[in-house]
Amino acid sequence: TKRFPTKMPAFRQVGEKQLPNPVLCMAWSPKRDLIALANTAGELLLHRLANFQRVWSLPPNENTGKEITALAWRPDGKILAFSLGDTKLVVLCDAEKAEILHLFPLENPVSCMHWMEVLEESSVLNSFYTSEDESNLFLPKLPTLPKRLNILVLGGGSGFVELYAYGMYKIATLPGVPGTCSSLCLSSDLKSLSIITEIRSADNDPEICYIQLDTGLLSDCLPEVTRMARKFTHISTLLQYLRLSLTCMCEAWEDILMQMDLRLTKFVQVSGHCLGPELQALLMNQLTVKGLKKLGQSIETSYSSIQKLVISHLQSGSEALLYHLSEVKGMSLWKQKFQPLGLDSAAIEDAITAVGSFTLKANELLQVIDKSMKNFKAFFRWLYVAMLRMSEEHVPPELNKMTQKDIAFVADFLSEHFSENEELFDRKGKYFNVERVGQYLKDEDEDLVSPPNTKGNQWLKFLQESTHLKESPLLFPSYSQKSLHFVKRMMEGVIELCLQKPAEVIGKSVKQAVCLPLYTVSENTPRTIFLLHVCFSSDCVYSCQDARFYDDETLTVVLRASEEENRGRVLAQLPLGSALSCEEEFNWDPSLRLDQQSGAIPVKGLVLENQWRDLENMKAQFVAVNGIRKVACVLSSNLRHVRVYEMDVEDEEDEERPESQNASSDQDGLEETPAIRGEAEGGETEGGGQRAKEQLESGELTNVLERCR
C-alpha cells in the first residue's frame, strides 16, 4: 500500500479526551452519533461525537456487577446490551435514560456479543407482519416489538454460544463450539454463524481458529421462528411484570407489618391474658385515640393498595399469560410447521396449568384481603369507641350505633385472634395471626400459618367426593396450604422448562460447516487477528494493531511502524474492492494454519491517496468505527486516551469549520448537557423500589417495560 504526501490531513478530529479509568470496550450506536464505553471501574458511559461530550454514566451496583466484558447495540439504537463477568449477567439498558430494563443470568461469562437484525424479505414474512395476532382485542395492549426479528448472539468460554430473540428470549443454545469465543457474527439471512475462537491445549500455544456454523433451520423456518419468538418474548415480559407487581405488594404489606409490630402485638399479648387495668393503661398511654385512628387508616390504605395490585396487575397479567400460552399450544399442535422447532404441547399444557393455579391463589388472596379489611374495620371502630369512653370523651352518634352484623364481626375477630387458647405466635416465635395477608407474600417453602377456612365450601366438598374429577385437566390445582410466592416460583419453573425445549432442539440442529486454523498465539504474537503488513513509499513497513469493517467495501486500520523506525502510528482506510480483485487465486490448505501458508497469499498494491492520517503524540492501539455515521474512535495502548474523527472529509473548507458545528443534528431526544452520576443510579436497578411502584400504579400494562421494546 502506498500513500502520497499531502498538506491536508485526512479525517477531521472532532474530539479528544484523557479518561480517568482505562476503557475495556467501546461500540458506536448504529443510528446516532453516540459511542458507549465500558471501563475498568465497572462504569458504562455514553458519549456524543461533538467534543466527546458525556451524555450519561451508569455506575456499577450490587444488583448487576462491575466487570463489564462486552457491549452490543440493538440495531435500532434504542437499547444497549452489556455483559458482566463477575455476576454472569446480561443487562439491557435504555440508551435514552440509562435505565436498566431487563437482565438475565447465564451459566458462563460472556466474552463477546453481536446484535443483528434479520433483513431477508419474503412474501410469507410480509403476510405474517401484516397479520399479527388479535390479542389486543381481548387483552391490555403489550409493548410493540420491532417489525423485524433481531437476535442477540452471546459467546464465551468452554464453547458457550447462545442466541436470544429480541435480546430477551433464548432461542438457541449451540453445543460443541470449541475454545473461547473472541468474535462472532450471525448473517442477516440467518443461514450461518461465523465465530473466531481461541483453542488452548496443555502442550502447545493457543490456536486461533475460524469456525462457520450452519444455522439453516432458523433460515428455513424464519416465519415460524419469528412468530414463536414474539410469543415467548411477550411471555417473558409478562413474567417480569408479575415480579414487579409482587415487589410492590410486599412493600405495601411491610407498612402494615411495621404498624402491627409497633402497636398491636402488645395489645394482643395483654388482651390475651385478660388483664383489664394493664390493657386500659396500654390503650390510653401507648396506643392513644389518635394513634388508633391513624393505625386504622394506614392498614386500610395498605390493604387497598395490595387489593388494587392483585386485581389490576396479577389477574390481568396471569390472564394474558394464559392467552399467549394457549396460542403457543395451538402452534405446537401444527406439527408440520412448528414440530421441527421443538414446541412441546405437553410442556405447554403444564405451563397453562401452573398459570391457572397462580390465578386461583391470587383470587384466594383477594378473599383474604376482603375479609381482613372488614374485620379490622369493625374491630378498630369498636376499639375506638371503647377508648373514647375510657377517656370520657364524647362518642359521635354514628359510631355508637353498631349493627348486629358489626357486633358479629367483632365477636368473630376477637374469638379468632385474641382467645386464651389461640396460638399467638408462629413457628419462628414472631406474632403473625392477627395479620393474615402477609403469609401469602412471604417467599418461603413452608406452609401457610393460617390457611383459609374451607369448612362448608360446597364446591370443594363436591370435588372431594367426585373421584373422577380429581385428575381432570380442566381443573387447576389450588395449593391451599402454600403462599402466593411459592405458587409464583413454581409457575416460573414450569414456564422456564416450556421455554427451554425449542432452544435445545434448534441448537442441536446447528452443524459445523467450516473449521479453519488461523495462527498460534505466543508471547510475542499480538492478540488481534490480523496478518496485514503495509509498506508506505518504500522506506517503512507497518504492522496492523487493530482493524474494523467501516462498510462492505472498506477496512479501517490502526498501523504501527516497526521498532527500528522512528515513526508514529497511522489511521487508514483500506479499500477492499481493489484488494479482492486480485487475479491470482489462493488455495487454502485446511490441514495447515493460515500463518504457515502466508507465503502463498497473493499480494496486491493499493493507493491510499488522502485516506490516512498520522496519529501524532498517541500510541494508538484500538479503533471502533461506524460507517453509516462516518465516524471513528481511536484508543491508545494505555486505554485512557481517546480521539474521535469524522471520516468523510471532502475539502479544506470542512477542515476549517468550528468544532461547535460538528455536533450531530440527530439527537433523538437525548439531553445536551452531561448527566451526573447520580441520575443513573436511582431505584430502578434494584428490581423494584419506588420506580417499580410508580410504573405499576399507573394502571396500564403497556407502561411497565415499554422501552424494552
Side-chain angles (χ1 to χ4, degrees):
T1 302
K2 294 184 178 181
R3 71 180 189 186
F4 293 101
T6 176
K7 295 181 180 179
M8 182 190 74
F11 324 138
R12 177 171 53 248
Q13 180 178 326
V14 294
E16 183 172 18
K17 188 160 289 190
Q18 292 284 347
L19 300 172
N21 296 299
V23 172
L24 298 174
C25 313
M26 51 185 182
W28 283 101
S29 166
K31 295 294 183 181
R32 293 178 281 189
D33 293 334
L34 300 167
I35 187 170
L37 308 174
N39 61 28
T40 54
E43 291 179 301
L44 181 64
L45 310 170
L46 192 68
H47 285 260
R48 197 185 305 283
L49 171 63
N51 300 320
F52 207 67
Q53 177 191 40
R54 182 186 293 188
V55 180
W56 51 251
S57 68
L58 182 67
N61 69 74
E62 59 184 12
N63 297 299
T64 54
K66 59 181 180 180
E67 186 186 325
I68 299 178
T69 58
L71 297 174
W73 287 87
R74 198 169 76 173
D76 61 5
K78 294 181 179 180
I79 293 179
L80 179 63
F82 62 96
S83 58
L84 296 146
D86 50 342
T87 55
K88 299 180 183 178
L89 290 175
V90 171
V91 181
L92 305 186
C93 175
D94 179 12
E96 196 75 27
K97 298 181 180 178
E99 294 177 1
I100 292 178
L101 302 174
H102 182 70
L103 53 84
F104 53 89
L106 301 170
E107 293 184 2
N108 297 284
V110 172
S111 57
C112 58
M113 56 172 59
H114 168 66
W115 207 335
M116 56 75 63
E117 184 177 54
V118 178
L119 299 179
E120 181 176 305
E121 291 288 356
S122 70
S123 58
V124 176
L125 267 182
N126 288 332
S127 63
F128 162 69
Y129 290 141
T130 56
S131 62
E132 276 286 3
D133 65 67
E134 298 177 340
S135 60
N136 290 341
L137 299 177
F138 312 106
L139 302 171
K141 186 178 179 182
L142 279 168
T144 303
L145 289 170
K147 180 180 178 182
R148 297 179 185 274
L149 175 66
N150 58 72
I151 297 178
L152 176 63
V153 189
L154 308 176
S158 305
F160 168 76
V161 179
E162 290 184 344
L163 279 62
Y164 285 79
Y166 300 105
M168 293 182 65
Y169 164 59
K170 183 165 66 175
I171 203 169
T173 300
L174 310 187
V177 178
T180 299
C181 297
S182 57
S183 181
L184 38 73
C185 180
L186 182 64
S187 65
S188 61
D189 59 6
L190 294 186
K191 291 184 177 180
S192 66
L193 174 62
S194 299
I195 306 175
I196 299 295
T197 67
E198 180 178 311
I199 303 174
R200 292 179 175 271
S201 62
D203 303 325
N204 303 323
D205 292 328
E207 185 177 66
I208 304 299
C209 293
Y210 167 77
I211 296 174
Q212 183 176 328
L213 302 177
D214 180 0
T215 56
L217 179 62
L218 291 175
S219 176
D220 296 340
C221 301
L222 180 56
E224 293 79 18
V225 168
T226 303
R227 184 176 291 276
M228 183 180 71
R230 294 172 83 89
K231 280 295 176 189
F232 279 157
T233 303
H234 284 326
I235 290 169
S236 299
T237 302
L238 287 166
L239 287 175
Q240 184 173 350
Y241 175 76
L242 294 177
R243 293 187 203 109
L244 286 172
S245 302
L246 275 170
T247 298
C248 295
M249 290 167 60
C250 290
E251 289 177 352
W253 170 72
E254 285 169 2
D255 293 338
I256 299 175
L257 189 64
M258 189 180 302
Q259 299 292 334
M260 293 288 188
D261 284 345
L262 190 63
R263 293 183 173 89
L264 282 192
T265 300
K266 288 184 179 180
F267 170 77
V268 173
Q269 292 170 341
V270 172
S271 63
H273 289 84
C274 300
L275 299 179
E278 290 187 25
L279 176 59
Q280 183 173 350
L282 173 70
L283 291 174
M284 302 309 300
N285 298 328
Q286 295 188 30
L287 197 56
T288 74
V289 174
K290 185 177 180 181
L292 177 65
K293 189 173 183 180
K294 185 177 179 181
L295 174 61
Q297 292 173 344
S298 175
I299 291 177
E300 185 175 0
T301 300
S302 298
Y303 275 145
S304 296
S305 298
I306 298 175
Q307 196 173 42
K308 289 175 183 177
L309 286 168
V310 174
I311 294 172
S312 61
H313 300 297
L314 287 194
Q315 287 190 332
S316 64
S318 58
E319 287 169 3
L321 268 179
L322 281 173
Y323 179 92
H324 290 292
L325 282 170
S326 297
E327 287 216 327
V328 172
K329 184 184 176 183
M331 291 160 54
S332 70
L333 296 176
W334 193 356
K335 298 187 181 298
Q336 180 184 2
K337 292 284 188 180
F338 291 95
Q339 192 172 33
L341 301 179
L343 280 183
D344 185 346
S345 57
I348 298 168
E349 182 62 41
D350 291 341
I352 291 173
T353 301
V355 175
S357 296
F358 179 78
T359 305
L360 288 179
K361 183 58 66 172
N363 188 61
E364 179 184 312
L365 177 57
L366 276 181
Q367 296 176 22
V368 173
I369 292 173
D370 187 60
K371 183 178 179 182
S372 295
M373 287 180 70
K374 290 178 180 177
N375 286 343
F376 269 117
K377 195 169 183 179
F379 169 67
F380 280 125
R381 181 181 176 184
W382 169 78
L383 190 58
Y384 182 61
V385 171
M387 291 178 67
L388 288 176
R389 288 173 178 167
M390 288 179 194
S391 60
E392 298 181 352
E393 294 185 20
H394 173 68
V395 179
E398 63 272 12
L399 294 179
N400 216 4
K401 295 178 181 178
M402 292 190 68
T403 65
Q404 192 63 35
K405 190 175 181 180
D406 293 335
I407 295 173
F409 266 129
V410 174
D412 291 342
F413 187 80
L414 292 174
S415 63
E416 184 178 358
H417 298 295
F418 302 143
S419 65
E420 280 191 69
N421 297 326
E422 178 76 9
E423 181 65 42
L424 299 178
F425 296 88
D426 68 2
R427 287 179 288 268
K428 296 182 180 179
K430 185 166 180 139
Y431 178 73
F432 206 154
N433 276 0
V434 170
E435 205 289 298
R436 298 292 170 92
V437 173
Q439 58 184 336
Y440 285 84
L441 303 179
K442 281 189 171 292
D443 196 2
E444 298 174 353
D445 292 336
E446 296 178 352
D447 291 348
L448 297 176
V449 176
S450 301
N453 184 8
T454 58
K455 186 178 179 181
N457 189 310
Q458 296 298 319
W459 171 249
L460 292 179
K461 182 180 178 182
F462 170 71
L463 290 180
Q464 291 170 359
E465 295 174 354
S466 305
T467 54
H468 61 284
L469 285 178
K470 289 184 178 180
E471 303 300 325
S472 172
L474 301 176
L475 299 178
F476 298 137
S478 61
Y479 301 99
S480 59
Q481 300 295 318
K482 295 299 183 181
S483 70
L484 182 67
H485 254 295
F486 178 90
V487 180
K488 187 264 296 183
R489 282 191 283 109
M490 182 206 66
M491 175 186 70
E492 289 176 330
V494 175
I495 292 178
E496 182 63 27
L497 289 175
C498 169
L499 300 182
Q500 284 178 356
K501 188 71 179 291
E504 296 171 2
V505 172
I506 294 174
K508 290 178 181 178
S509 74
V510 175
K511 305 299 180 184
Q512 180 175 295
V514 176
C515 182
L516 299 174
L518 298 179
Y519 64 91
T520 58
V521 179
S522 62
E523 294 182 359
N524 299 323
T525 306
R527 291 291 170 140
T528 48
I529 309 167
F530 304 108
L531 305 174
L532 175 66
H533 291 273
V534 183
C535 177
F536 281 165
S537 302
S538 59
D539 56 349
C540 181
V541 175
Y542 287 80
S543 61
C544 184
Q545 296 293 104
D546 197 8
R548 293 289 183 269
F549 278 101
Y550 184 76
D551 53 35
D552 292 341
E553 300 177 352
T554 309
L555 198 66
T556 303
V557 295
V558 173
L559 306 175
R560 175 185 177 182
S562 60
E563 296 294 337
E564 296 79 16
E565 301 290 339
N566 186 22
R567 292 178 180 270
R569 306 195 184 190
V570 172
L571 177 67
Q573 298 280 70
L574 298 183
L576 292 175
S578 54
L580 296 176
S581 63
C582 183
E583 296 180 358
E584 298 182 53
E585 291 188 4
F586 171 59
N587 295 317
W588 192 322
D589 184 351
S591 63
L592 298 174
R593 295 193 310 270
L594 182 61
D595 58 353
Q596 296 172 329
Q597 308 174 66
S598 58
I601 299 176
V603 178
K604 177 72 174 180
L606 302 176
V607 176
L608 290 181
E609 297 183 351
N610 70 330
Q611 293 301 301
W612 59 271
R613 176 171 183 148
D614 284 318
L615 299 173
E616 300 174 354
N617 302 319
M618 184 183 191
K619 292 184 177 181
Q621 184 77 24
F622 303 102
V623 64
V625 297
N626 184 342
I628 297 175
R629 309 301 302 185
K630 304 184 186 305
V631 288
C633 182
V634 181
L635 178 64
S636 65
S637 57
N638 68 3
L639 307 179
R640 295 174 183 266
H641 183 192
V642 295
R643 284 182 185 169
V644 184
Y645 294 93
E646 285 186 344
M647 306 296 284
D648 190 13
V649 179
E650 296 181 354
D651 52 47
E652 210 164 345
E653 292 181 4
D654 287 344
E655 186 69 24
E656 295 174 357
R657 286 191 305 169
E659 288 188 355
S660 61
Q661 298 179 9
N662 294 337
S664 168
S665 60
D666 184 13
Q667 305 301 335
D668 285 5
L670 286 167
E671 297 178 8
E672 291 290 341
T673 55
I676 60 173
R677 289 176 60 99
E679 289 179 1
E681 296 178 13
E684 59 272 16
T685 60
E686 299 178 3
Q690 185 62 31
R691 174 161 185 80
K693 185 179 293 184
E694 292 172 356
Q695 287 177 318
L696 288 166
E697 289 179 353
S698 66
E700 297 180 15
L701 184 60
T702 56
N703 291 340
V704 181
L705 294 173
E706 180 67 44
R707 284 181 300 279
C708 204
R709 296 293 170 264

